[in-house]
Amino acid sequence: MDHSPAEVTAVVPARNAELMLPRCLEALRESGVAEIIVVDGCSTDGTVAIARAAGARVVSDEGRGLPWARTLGVRNSSTRWVLLVDSDVVFGPTGVADLLTELVEGGYDALQAGLESVGGPGYWGQALAHHHRTGRSRNWFGLVATLVDRELMLGMGFDDSFKSGEDIELRWRMRDSGLRTAVSQRVMVEHRFAADDFDFALDQFLMDGTGLGKMIRKHGWRGARLALLPAAAAVRGSALSLAAGQPRWLRYYVAFCWYNYAGLARGLAS
């Protein structure tokens, strides 16, 4: 049985995303999805106007955060499949169709597109993109550009206490339920960063660390091993950088490790 993007609704959570959103929505519209739902997080810039001009339906998450925004978007969809897309992602012309074909033929319950991260001219944006391209996490299932059955997603839901790390929390529950998830080896999407300064990178580090802390707090000893991730990633990234003759990335990995643990402590205490 053939399937087409016309059976897919794209759900795009967005907050103050006026710089990222136009290319994201244009690509989704050209892909042939049935509908685009932009879930606005109380933006103060032109996000809502851009979404409406692109033909998207706009709903508000009333400031309740990313997990709720995704849930709200899925609830407002009516197609069999939903595509969860971050505003900093750009699909290729046939990306959605190819991802749907791979999901169906592979018997997956949810499938994320592969990410090709690109950074701006600034050091921290380039460093983030380098880490994303070379780190092991690029092969971990997440929710950046992910196709999933609508009813399955509604049944699984999100833990709203996670403002970051909700993808790890969902991945664990899906795995425990025996569901098949994966990262596509055939479909790649462009993954951009909204900024490339240190403040942006710092926010990413703290959010990721906080999510890990919340996972450890929720899962106890089972989640304790997650505390090793920032150090392991920093050691691996530093070693690869030195082996490649690129010591310029060492400063990034020091900051990444330090502030991930600062966020982890915050997540444990929250």
Side-chain angles (χ1 to χ4, degrees), residues 83-164:
L83 182 67
L84 301 172
V85 188
D86 284 0
S87 61
D88 55 12
V89 163
V90 179
F91 269 84
T94 65
V96 177
D98 293 342
L99 194 65
L100 178 58
T101 298
E102 185 177 357
L103 179 143
V104 174
E105 292 181 351
Y108 295 108
D109 296 293
L111 184 65
Q112 178 188 281
L115 306 180
E116 187 61 36
S117 297
V118 295
Y123 171 82
W124 293 99
Q126 291 181 14
L128 281 165
H130 170 78
H131 187 188
H132 279 233
R133 288 195 302 267
T134 60
R136 289 182 174 177
S137 60
R138 69 175 296 162
N139 298 314
W140 297 349
F141 173 81
L143 302 171
V144 178
T146 301
L147 191 63
V148 62
D149 181 273
R150 177 183 183 273
E151 295 304 317
L152 172 63
M153 191 71 260
L154 289 176
M156 294 299 299
F158 290 101
D159 185 335
D160 282 348
S161 69
F162 282 74
K163 303 306 179 187
S164 178

Side-chain angles (χ1 to χ4, degrees), residues 15-232:
R15 182 177 184 275
N16 292 337
E18 64 180 7
L19 297 179
M20 297 282 105
L21 201 56
R23 284 191 63 207
C24 173
L25 298 184
E26 179 183 5
L28 290 172
R29 187 174 63 246
E30 291 177 352
S31 74
V33 296
E35 185 179 24
I36 303 171
I37 300 175
V38 171
V39 186
D40 177 57
C42 299
S43 297
T44 57
D45 64 0
T47 293
V48 171
I50 289 170
R52 287 176 175 156
R57 178 154 57 107
V58 179
V59 296
S60 174
D61 69 11
E62 299 178 345
R64 292 182 57 178
L66 185 56
W68 173 247
R70 288 180 171 135
T71 298
L72 186 62
V74 174
R75 286 182 179 176
N76 276 271
S77 67
S78 57
T79 53
R80 176 176 177 182
W81 286 287
V82 290
L83 182 67
L84 301 172
V85 188
D86 284 0
S87 61
D88 55 12
V89 163
V90 179
F91 269 84
T94 65
V96 177
D98 293 342
L99 194 65
L100 178 58
T101 298
E102 185 177 357
L103 179 143
V104 174
E105 292 181 351
Y108 295 108
D109 296 293
L111 184 65
Q112 178 188 281
L115 306 180
E116 187 61 36
S117 297
V118 295
Y123 171 82
W124 293 99
Q126 291 181 14
L128 281 165
H130 170 78
H131 187 188
H132 279 233
R133 288 195 302 267
T134 60
R136 289 182 174 177
S137 60
R138 69 175 296 162
N139 298 314
W140 297 349
F141 173 81
L143 302 171
V144 178
T146 301
L147 191 63
V148 62
D149 181 273
R150 177 183 183 273
E151 295 304 317
L152 172 63
M153 191 71 260
L154 289 176
M156 294 299 299
F158 290 101
D159 185 335
D160 282 348
S161 69
F162 282 74
K163 303 306 179 187
S164 178
E166 77 285 350
D167 53 345
I168 300 176
E169 196 277 334
L170 177 65
R171 181 170 71 238
W172 279 34
R173 286 192 289 115
M174 294 182 85
R175 182 184 61 198
D176 291 345
S177 298
L179 299 174
R180 293 192 68 214
T181 64
V183 176
S184 173
Q185 301 300 308
R186 291 156 48 181
V187 179
M188 300 294 294
V189 296
E190 181 181 332
H191 175 232
R192 305 162 294 159
F193 294 99
D196 62 358
D197 56 9
F198 176 71
D199 286 344
F200 178 80
L202 174 62
D203 188 55
Q204 299 295 304
F205 300 156
L206 291 174
M207 285 196 304
D208 289 347
T210 300
L212 292 177
K214 284 184 173 292
M215 283 291 292
I216 296 170
R217 184 180 176 89
K218 179 173 182 176
H219 293 279
W221 285 110
R222 182 182 174 216
R225 67 182 185 274
L226 295 174
L228 300 175
L229 288 181

